[in-house]
Amino acid sequence: MIAYVEGRIAEITENACILVSPGGVGYEVFLAAHTLARLPERGESVFFYTATVVREDALELYGFDSWDERECFLVLISISRVGARTATAILSVFRPDDLRRMVAEDDMLSLQRVSGIGKKTGQQIFLELKYKLKASVTQVAQGGGDPAAAGRPGGVLADTVAGLVNLGYDEQDALQTARQVLRAEADLDVSGALRAALKALARGRS
């Protein structure tokens, strides 16, 4: 499986880009809407984490901004009724942390914001997503880090990140800091983790 590609952009289409590797091989890489929107100009360099999807009539490559998003994509396509295109549509509306918050809050209705997903289908997808996100929380929520920080009831990592974002911090900075705090002190609750993260962010800015 191809898990990472880098090169220059040759073309940009409605839902993909053509990326030419340094060896001269061109890959069609399908992308979520938010990634497409941030692509640089043709001829500029770019890289993606990727997942290869093999179908009966095609072999397709999907690209992602982060390893976390790639892992979430793999969880989504393991759900019945969710193919690669539907998973990409979901990730065009929701980031991985959004999906984790939805699971933590039992928010079954938000999936209906995705084009092509109605109430009944959304409920069926959500029930399986809830189980699989919790079952794979080590890989999805922490990118292979300490399972204790994400596996406890209440979703300490997700809630801490959400709290920091609500306070105006960048989501990626919040996620990185929250992970570091919870790896150092795995028994923290949300309020304790939030206080520790705010102190760490303040030190970083001073």
Side-chain angles (χ1 to χ4, degrees):
M1 176 181 287
I2 300 171
Y4 176 90
V5 292
E6 64 178 78
R8 61 177 178 83
I9 295 177
E11 294 292 340
I12 300 173
T13 67
E14 183 179 355
N15 57 1
C17 75
I18 308 302
L19 183 146
V20 180
S21 72
V25 178
Y27 297 95
E28 182 177 24
V29 185
F30 293 95
L31 303 167
H34 62 86
T35 304
L36 274 168
R38 292 201 303 270
L39 285 178
E41 299 294 324
R42 291 177 179 84
E44 296 293 321
S45 296
V46 70
F47 71 88
F48 303 110
Y49 297 102
T50 58
T52 307
V53 176
V54 180
R55 301 197 332 232
E56 188 175 326
D57 59 345
L59 189 152
E60 296 176 334
L61 197 62
Y62 289 80
F64 311 96
D65 290 332
S66 67
W67 187 258
D68 187 24
E69 189 175 40
R70 177 188 184 273
E71 294 298 285
C72 198
F73 174 84
L74 295 178
V75 170
L76 287 168
I77 63 173
S78 72
I79 295 172
S80 55
R81 296 176 174 264
V82 178
R85 299 297 173 92
T86 300
T88 303
I90 292 171
L91 289 172
S92 291
V93 177
F94 302 107
R95 301 299 179 86
D97 276 345
D98 295 328
L99 294 174
R100 288 191 280 269
R101 280 194 289 270
M102 287 162 54
V103 165
E105 296 168 2
D106 260 342
D107 180 6
M108 192 177 296
L109 298 178
S110 287
L111 280 176
Q112 294 176 48
R113 291 167 51 191
V114 179
S115 177
I117 295 182
K119 182 177 180 180
K120 184 177 180 181
T121 302
Q123 289 174 344
Q124 292 171 338
I125 292 173
F126 181 83
L127 291 174
E128 199 166 342
L129 175 66
K130 184 173 182 177
Y131 169 77
K132 294 197 172 186
L133 272 184
K134 287 185 176 179
S136 61
V137 70
T138 303
Q139 290 76 26
V140 178
Q142 285 208 300
D146 179 8
R152 296 192 302 275
V156 175
L157 175 64
D159 290 347
T160 302
V161 171
L164 292 170
V165 170
N166 288 338
L167 291 171
Y169 288 92
D170 175 78
E171 184 174 355
Q172 289 302 315
D173 290 342
L175 180 59
Q176 182 178 3
T177 304
R179 283 176 176 166
Q180 291 171 348
V181 165
L182 289 169
R183 284 171 184 159
E185 297 184 69
D187 293 330
L188 286 174
D189 59 11
V190 175
S191 60
L194 191 55
R195 285 194 297 271
L198 287 169
K199 288 179 181 179
L201 287 164
R203 287 196 299 270
R205 291 184 174 184
S206 61

